[in-house]
Amino acid sequence: MSGNTTFTMIKPDAFEAGFTGAILQKFIENGFKIKALKLTQLRKEDAEAFYAVHSERPFFNSLVAFMSSGPIVAAVLEKENAVDNFRKLIGSTNPADAAEGTVRKLFAASIERNAVHGSDSDENAVIESGFFFTHFDRH
Ligand code: IDP
Ligand code: MG
């Protein structure tokens, strides 16, 4: 059975460009409820930990530098089948491949600076939410 929560970040490119309000509006319009929301900034070591699964990839150092370069907005979102529905809403990792109307198609500049994060599984949604929010915050 699929879960009803996912985790997202509005990444430094989209925050810096002033797209936070428009992106949150997209989430809400598409039926996602905001369960937790936080403006914060990752330190280099936070970004390394968050993206540890990608530590062997050639883009890792650049990704960590980018993700710690400025403010981000972290959120826990609720909808049925949240992980899959949210990944459909944000579109492909590379905005050049993302479908019309998706968040990355609308707001992302490049495969690295791709505006938003979305969890890839229910298990990771829980882990990633816990990275930014305590259990209490999610209720
Ligand atoms: P996802 O965010 O769509 O789940 P992942 O493969 O998990 O994509 O990659 C995590 C993040 O790493 C991406 O969102 C993007 O910011 C960055 N990234 C992924 N692939 C590349 C690449 O080929 N070059 C540069 N950055 C990349
Ligand atoms: Mg991913």
Side-chain angles (χ1 to χ4, degrees):
M1 210 184 89
S2 54
N4 65 352
T5 68
T6 192
F7 172 79
T8 187
M9 285 185 279
I10 297 174
K11 296 186 179 185
D13 59 323
F15 181 85
E16 173 62 25
F19 295 148
T20 298
I23 290 174
L24 290 175
Q25 180 67 13
K26 272 263 161 209
F27 298 165
I28 294 163
E29 275 170 13
N30 282 273
F32 290 89
K33 281 194 179 148
I34 298 174
K35 303 299 285 185
L37 186 68
K38 182 182 284 181
L39 173 63
T40 185
Q41 182 163 350
L42 296 170
R43 296 166 300 174
K44 181 171 177 279
E45 54 267 40
D46 300 323
E48 285 169 349
F50 187 87
Y51 284 112
V53 66
H54 294 305
S55 62
E56 302 304 317
R57 307 283 286 278
F59 57 80
F60 181 69
N61 288 341
S62 177
L63 175 63
V64 165
F66 162 56
M67 287 302 298
S68 56
S69 68
I72 60 108
V73 174
V76 179
L77 302 177
E78 185 179 275
K79 184 179 178 171
E80 82 283 348
N81 196 14
V83 165
D84 286 352
N85 277 326
F86 190 70
R87 290 197 63 103
K88 274 194 202 104
L89 174 62
I90 67 176
S92 300
T93 305
N94 187 347
D97 301 330
E100 288 301 326
T102 60
V103 173
R104 283 168 166 167
K105 183 71 171 187
L106 289 167
F107 298 108
S110 72
I111 190 168
E112 178 179 84
R113 295 171 178 254
N114 61 359
V116 285
H117 170 82
S119 302
D120 64 6
S121 67
D122 291 342
E123 185 191 8
N124 282 335
V126 172
I127 293 168
E128 292 171 358
S129 298
F131 201 93
F132 290 89
F133 302 102
T134 66
H135 182 71
F136 177 80
D137 289 333
R138 293 200 298 273
H139 289 272

